[in-house]
Amino acid sequence: MSRMNVSSVRDYMKSLDDELLHLLDLKHNGMGSPRIQDYIITAESLSTTSADLLKTEYGFHARENQDVLSLIWGGEYADKFRGTKTNLLFARSFWSAAKQNELRIARVFQEWHVFPKIFAACGPLYIAEYIPSLKSIDTIFAFLSTEFPSWKQRATLAKEILNFVQKTDSMELPLQLCDIKSPHFGFTPANAVRFIDADAVITDDALGHSMSMRQCLKHEDCSIFDCEGWCNENTGRCAAVRTNNNLQTVCAKVFRGSIISTFGGLLSSPPQKVAEKLPMLINQCADDITGSRGDISLRHPTQETLVTLQQYLIESLGS
């Protein structure tokens, strides 16, 4: 959460109270000022509300006998209940945590190891695993710096980013990364990739639904950051389709760089053995129309492109 003053925090917590009371359909008896401590809710009702949130946001359906409350909270939520009930004070703390997309998505998809671990949460505040980010090197100033990483370092990181993109596409609920830039990729000591800014991460189905709800005059009206959309100018509505994909955005904004293409990007200035074919493939990955869906042109570089990029990187690292 961003920094808030006391008044803002009070207003925020009041809005959470009102939202929970509405979602759980809890009524005040009308006698005196309502005290949040007076409300008692069931674990089942809070679990149902939480499951609805995950379904709406990610298209996520809990497995049979899966405890949704513990999934989001990250521990035995039942320990906080008096039997099957809890007061709304604790429910509010839980709900303010569940409303944080970075926490929620990290917990829901923790088995895939694509986001930093969440260690603990208290209300809207949480402690996450520290993972250093990939420094932005997409300017000529970085290129001229004595700290500019070696090709071996950059090619190794690029291979891991490609593995990460492949993983997000193959998940049970494929993830769309709608805000891709170098500093949003973090690397563990073993060079495993974690996406460290999940505010604009959304599942494929949820993204299509969100786009389809928009009205538009031009294609740009349908885009959600890096997730580009398409406007049907006859109906003034956005199509439920992303016209680019994660790999295209990585090629355009991370590998090639978005400011000075000659110098910028993680894969600028490759060694002689791939100096011609690697930049050519990166440009094709970033720019080429790969197909269409009806009248909609798509820039969806394929698995074949990803594999070829990996092969070129391996070749570049050979002796």
Side-chain angles (χ1 to χ4, degrees):
M1 289 185 64
S2 59
R3 184 174 298 177
M4 302 170 69
N5 59 37
V6 174
S7 177
S8 297
V9 170
R10 187 182 298 114
D11 291 343
Y12 174 71
M13 300 309 285
K14 177 62 165 59
S15 70
L16 287 175
D17 295 347
D18 293 341
E19 182 179 17
L20 268 177
L21 294 176
H22 172 72
L23 289 172
L24 300 172
D25 196 28
L26 298 177
K27 308 297 185 182
H28 181 242
N29 59 20
M31 298 177 61
S33 299
R35 297 192 315 152
I36 192 171
Q37 297 92 331
D38 294 337
Y39 293 97
I40 298 295
I41 67 173
T42 65
E44 182 180 5
S45 63
L46 188 57
S47 179
T48 299
T49 300
S50 302
D52 288 343
L53 175 66
L54 298 184
K55 181 179 178 181
T56 299
E57 293 291 324
Y58 309 132
F60 176 86
H61 296 270
R63 303 182 182 95
E64 186 176 358
N65 297 322
Q66 185 174 25
D67 182 357
V68 175
L69 301 183
S70 293
L71 173 66
I72 297 175
W73 190 252
E76 292 299 324
Y77 184 91
D79 293 345
K80 306 296 181 180
F81 282 88
R82 298 191 301 274
T84 59
K85 298 181 179 181
T86 185
N87 64 48
L88 199 56
L89 278 173
F90 189 79
R92 179 176 66 181
S93 181
F94 170 86
W95 191 245
S96 61
K99 295 282 286 184
Q100 304 297 315
N101 186 58
E102 287 189 296
L103 179 148
R104 188 175 64 238
I105 201 168
R107 284 278 166 74
V108 171
F109 296 101
Q110 58 189 333
E111 294 178 2
W112 288 88
H113 306 292
V114 292
F115 303 109
K117 294 179 182 177
I118 303 295
F119 294 119
C122 180
L125 307 178
Y126 55 91
I127 302 172
E129 176 185 16
Y130 172 71
I131 298 179
S133 66
L134 174 64
K135 291 183 179 180
S136 180
I137 57 173
D138 58 356
T139 69
I140 190 171
F141 304 105
F143 179 76
L144 296 176
S145 170
T146 56
E147 297 181 358
F148 195 75
S150 68
W151 174 258
K152 181 178 180 180
Q153 292 173 308
R154 292 184 284 127
T156 300
L157 296 179
K159 285 171 53 186
E160 293 303 322
I161 289 175
L162 289 172
N163 290 337
F164 179 86
V165 169
Q166 193 170 32
K167 180 188 290 187
T168 58
D169 288 342
S170 63
M171 293 169 63
E172 181 181 356
L173 297 172
L175 294 177
Q176 300 293 334
L177 312 177
C178 293
D179 188 11
I180 289 179
K181 50 179 64 105
S182 295
H184 289 177
F185 289 99
F187 293 85
T188 69
N191 277 339
V193 179
R194 300 289 185 267
F195 203 73
I196 58 178
D197 190 336
D199 280 341
V201 176
I202 190 171
T203 60
D204 190 47
D205 288 346
L207 177 64
H209 176 74
S210 179
M211 286 180 163
S212 69
M213 300 300 291
R214 293 187 170 203
Q215 296 181 330
C216 60
L217 295 175
K218 55 187 184 300
H219 298 321
E220 289 77 9
D221 296 335
C222 302
S223 297
I224 300 176
F225 301 107
D226 294 325
C227 292
E228 298 174 0
W230 187 85
C231 177
N232 185 328
E233 296 178 356
N234 294 325
T235 64
R237 305 287 298 189
C238 297
V241 59
R242 180 181 178 183
T243 60
N244 64 342
N245 63 10
N246 291 335
L247 179 57
Q248 182 276 330
T249 311
V250 164
C251 285
K253 296 189 63 179
V254 178
F255 291 169
R256 183 172 69 181
S258 58
I259 298 179
I260 304 177
S261 296
T262 303
F263 298 100
L266 185 64
L267 296 181
S268 59
S269 303
Q272 186 61 38
K273 62 178 67 176
V274 294
E276 183 175 346
K277 62 184 180 182
L278 179 59
M280 182 181 299
L281 182 59
I282 291 172
N283 286 331
Q284 291 172 352
C285 174
D287 299 330
D288 283 6
I289 302 298
T290 60
S292 62
R293 185 179 301 180
D295 296 331
I296 306 173
S297 296
L298 303 175
R299 288 188 298 164
H300 286 184
T302 63
Q303 174 73 12
E304 181 180 356
T305 298
L306 187 149
V307 170
T308 305
L309 282 167
Q310 290 175 321
Q311 291 172 345
Y312 287 175
L313 291 171
I314 292 171
E315 180 182 345
S316 76
L317 294 170
S319 57

